[in-house]
Amino acid sequence: MTDRLIIFDTTLRDGEQSPGASMTRDEKLRIARQLERLRVDVIEAGFAASSNGDFECVKAIAAHIRDSTVCSLARANDRDIARAAEALQPAARARIHTFIATSDLHMEKKLRMTREQVLEQARLSVRFARKLCDDVEFSPEDGYRSDPDFLCRVLEAAIAEGATTLNIPDTVGYAIPELYGNFIRDLRERIPNSDKAVWSVHCHNDLGLAVANSLAGVKIGGARQVECTINGLGERAGNCSLEEVVMAVRTRRDYFGLEVGIETAQIVPASRMVAQTTGFVVQPNKAVVGANAFAHASGIHQDGVLKARDTYEIMRAEDVGWSTNRIVLGKLSGRNAFKQRLQELGIETDSEAEINAAFARFKDLADRKSEIFDEDIIALMGDESVTSEHEHYRLLALAQRSETGERPHATVAFAAGAVEHHAESDGNGPVDASLKAIESKVNSGAELLLYSVNAITSGSTESQGEVTVRLQHGGRVVNGVGADPDIVVASAKAYLAALNKLHSSGERVAAQG
Ligand code: KIV
Ligand code: ZN
């Protein structure tokens, strides 16, 4: 058994399945590049057969990523598998991840298939996938709640057909660490050809145990791959969090005795990028990446840390990338410095014209905000409600008036395709008035599920406000994020960004067998 733990990141597939976390192709590409800088071993880039959009995302990531293996999910059928292989065609290293449910509950109620049919389909799918790709992962969905005898037959057949990785999902987050670890150990002991594949853990966080279960799967079960997401992003309570599992194995190397190839200084930048892109903010007390994770408030702790850091700290903040919150550019910075910083941040631009437009926005921001941080640049580049010519809705101008004792009023100019709208409204506050003004022209009928404001960088009221708006319409939930030193403008941008996501059609098949 190897002493290296493979880190399989599924932020762009399982993470993105979280309602409202859907990302555009460019956003996914940017995150994939950050995952590559983080040196994750495998990037699950999407589920190619689920929609044309997902297919294009997987293909784009496969074409750009060189150092990590790029993977696509596929249900256990020939069409999905062929589509995954097609999207992965440009990859330097490709993996097809095929799955079918194996618990009695899922087989009877969801698939309406017998055990024998599922076994046969798993066998045929792995066989077909292996014809198209050397690296094939097989997952029995709801594996942890499956009958162990049946699961052994399915997994043994998958290995015999050439599966190189076997993943045991706790799809509904039902497992308990010791039991999950034992479950995997027993499967490995019972299946005669188990040593021919790498064993993997995939845990959901419904009971808050995803990281603990994954670690037990590694320590007790002998798994050598962990499937996880940045910030634990994922449906319901999320997936196993990459930063926690990696830092647990790193910090407690004495216990796990395993190597991970992760460039840990890229953890915080990755966390921020995912939070800024999806609008899923990180709770302050979240381990490793929360704003308070290394903040010592109590006098006793502060005193101890100043005398000897390891009195109260088990990891160094800079080792996970906490030093990035520094001034990088200012009002006097030139185009070259700006362009270089974009490159250092891994933000790729399509053309010189795009850089010029971004530089103009940067200058505008620097006029209003004396210190520009990396986070400001990331927000500036991701602000699609104003940046992208391809976006349907774009903010052009906003004016608002609020005064004690007066009802606030807003006037908003925005583009909808080629048409320019001028709208006005009053409201309970300037944000309410601005969004009502936009809605008076768009008439989206969308329900506002969430509105939140955060400071992009801490410690100053000069910080840009980052607003997340979550809308629901016709069964779809989308998030829009907008940033600006003026939170009313940020709110309008966020609202238009969410409307853009509703506007772009995106029929997609759910990741279910
Ligand atoms: O949770 C799950 O079962 C999955 C599979 C598709 C691997 O995400
Ligand atoms: Zn999952």
Side-chain angles (χ1 to χ4, degrees):
M1 197 188 306
T2 156
D3 59 359
R4 183 180 155 82
L5 187 62
I6 297 167
I7 302 298
F8 175 115
D9 180 279
T10 182
T11 307
L12 299 175
R13 198 278 298 170
D14 220 354
E16 203 222 8
Q17 271 173 231
S18 182
S22 62
M23 296 172 235
T24 64
R25 176 186 166 281
D26 289 354
E27 288 169 341
K28 284 190 172 184
L29 201 49
R30 195 178 310 148
I31 290 176
R33 289 203 175 100
Q34 178 59 26
L35 293 173
E36 190 178 39
R37 276 193 290 280
L38 188 59
R39 305 198 70 74
V40 305
D41 300 284
V42 185
I43 298 173
E44 190 163 48
F47 176 12
S50 68
S51 69
N52 289 339
D54 250 40
F55 177 88
E56 291 305 330
C57 287
V58 175
K59 193 170 169 190
I61 292 169
H64 283 88
I65 298 299
R66 297 291 94 181
D67 297 338
S68 310
T69 296
V70 180
C71 170
S72 171
L73 188 69
R75 286 167 298 186
N77 64 59
D78 288 4
R79 184 195 163 268
D80 269 31
I81 293 169
R83 197 84 176 128
E86 193 186 340
L88 291 169
Q89 219 264 324
R93 274 193 299 273
R95 173 180 296 187
I96 295 176
H97 176 191
T98 187
F99 74 101
I100 188 164
T102 51
S103 66
D104 287 335
L105 188 62
H106 279 227
M107 289 188 295
E108 274 168 32
K109 302 277 189 269
K110 189 181 76 171
L111 299 179
R112 298 184 199 286
M113 289 171 75
T114 63
R115 286 186 174 187
E116 293 314 309
Q117 287 170 325
V118 166
L119 173 62
E120 190 56 10
Q121 196 156 327
R123 197 195 297 281
L124 293 176
S125 302
V126 174
R127 186 182 302 168
F128 182 57
R130 268 309 300 260
K131 285 195 183 130
L132 304 177
C133 187
D134 288 343
D135 187 347
V136 171
E137 173 168 333
F138 173 74
S139 287
E141 191 192 8
D142 206 20
Y144 180 66
R145 291 195 302 169
S146 303
D147 171 58
D149 293 342
F150 175 61
L151 194 54
C152 282
R153 289 176 64 206
V154 175
L155 295 174
E156 185 178 345
I159 302 173
E161 295 295 344
T164 42
T165 302
L166 291 180
N167 182 42
I168 310 300
D170 176 23
T171 304
V172 292
Y174 180 69
I176 300 295
E178 190 184 354
L179 302 182
Y180 183 68
N182 291 345
F183 189 75
I184 292 179
R185 187 198 53 210
D186 292 350
L187 291 173
R188 288 184 49 240
E189 282 174 4
R190 287 182 57 187
I191 296 174
N193 53 0
S194 67
D195 61 333
K196 302 279 184 298
V198 173
W199 288 71
S200 167
V201 288
H202 178 111
C203 298
H204 282 263
N205 203 32
D206 298 68
L207 294 174
L209 292 171
V211 172
N213 288 335
S214 302
L215 292 172
V218 169
K219 182 70 183 175
I220 306 173
R224 288 296 174 264
Q225 173 176 286
V226 174
E227 302 201 351
C228 45
T229 60
I230 303 291
N231 299 338
L233 187 71
E235 260 179 299
R236 308 185 308 277
N239 286 56
C240 169
S241 121
L242 179 144
E243 53 282 357
E244 293 179 20
V245 92
V246 164
M247 289 316 290
V249 173
R250 252 304 150 82
T251 307
R252 297 305 308 269
R253 195 183 272 127
D254 59 319
Y255 177 72
F256 289 102
L258 292 169
E259 296 299 327
V260 276
I262 294 294
E263 179 61 47
T264 57
Q266 293 295 336
I267 284 179
V268 168
S271 162
R272 286 189 173 151
M273 191 181 283
V274 169
Q276 285 188 340
T277 308
T278 58
F280 279 65
V281 290
V282 174
Q283 74 196 55
N285 58 335
K286 167 99 166 62
V288 186
V289 292
N292 289 353
F294 291 89
H296 299 275
S298 106
I300 296 175
H301 286 204
Q302 284 174 349
D303 181 53
V305 169
L306 287 175
K307 286 178 177 145
R309 193 173 188 151
D310 53 1
T311 48
Y312 287 102
E313 274 187 9
I314 57 165
M315 300 169 267
R316 296 191 317 164
E318 54 270 37
D319 288 350
V320 295
W322 269 110
S323 55
T324 51
N325 192 0
R326 61 195 161 86
I327 307 165
V328 289
L329 294 173
K331 197 175 166 148
L332 300 176
S333 307
R335 187 181 177 283
N336 279 346
F338 177 69
K339 189 174 166 185
Q340 188 183 335
R341 196 64 204 145
L342 288 183
Q343 277 161 3
E344 284 161 7
L345 286 171
I347 300 174
E348 279 173 35
T349 41
D350 290 338
S351 63
E352 287 299 305
E354 197 185 333
I355 295 176
N356 290 343
F359 184 60
R361 288 199 308 281
F362 160 74
K363 280 292 191 188
D364 178 48
L365 182 63
D367 273 342
R368 294 186 291 150
K369 185 174 186 294
S370 53
E371 301 169 335
I372 306 286
F373 299 90
D374 284 342
E375 292 79 356
D376 292 314
I377 297 174
I378 293 169
L380 185 98
M381 296 306 291
D383 197 347
E384 300 209 329
S385 61
V386 289
T387 58
S388 174
E389 293 290 308
H390 318 299
E391 293 297 344
H392 185 68
Y393 296 111
R394 279 172 296 124
L395 182 67
L396 303 175
L398 186 151
Q400 54 86 12
R401 201 184 56 244
S402 62
E403 193 181 330
T404 323
E406 294 291 320
R407 191 156 165 83
H409 186 88
T411 314
V412 185
F414 65 99
V419 182
E420 195 172 311
H421 289 292
H422 293 261
E424 56 182 301
S425 175
D426 55 13
N428 281 348
V431 171
D432 186 45
S434 304
L435 303 199
K436 280 192 171 130
I438 296 172
E439 190 56 27
S440 72
K441 295 286 178 194
V442 174
N443 290 315
S444 74
E447 187 189 349
L448 182 70
L449 297 183
L450 174 127
Y451 171 85
S452 79
V453 191
N454 278 286
I456 285 190
T457 45
S458 52
S460 157
T461 50
E462 249 217 344
S463 169
Q464 288 201 86
E466 185 176 56
V467 174
T468 303
V469 164
R470 187 172 301 157
L471 297 180
Q472 176 171 294
H473 187 256
R476 285 184 74 198
V477 178
V478 295
N479 274 341
V481 184
D484 198 275
D486 178 335
I487 59 163
V488 184
V489 174
S491 304
K493 287 179 178 176
Y495 194 69
L496 290 171
L499 289 177
N500 276 328
K501 287 191 176 162
L502 281 181
H503 185 259
S504 65
S505 63
E507 279 313 302
R508 182 185 268 198
V509 178
Q512 289 180 352

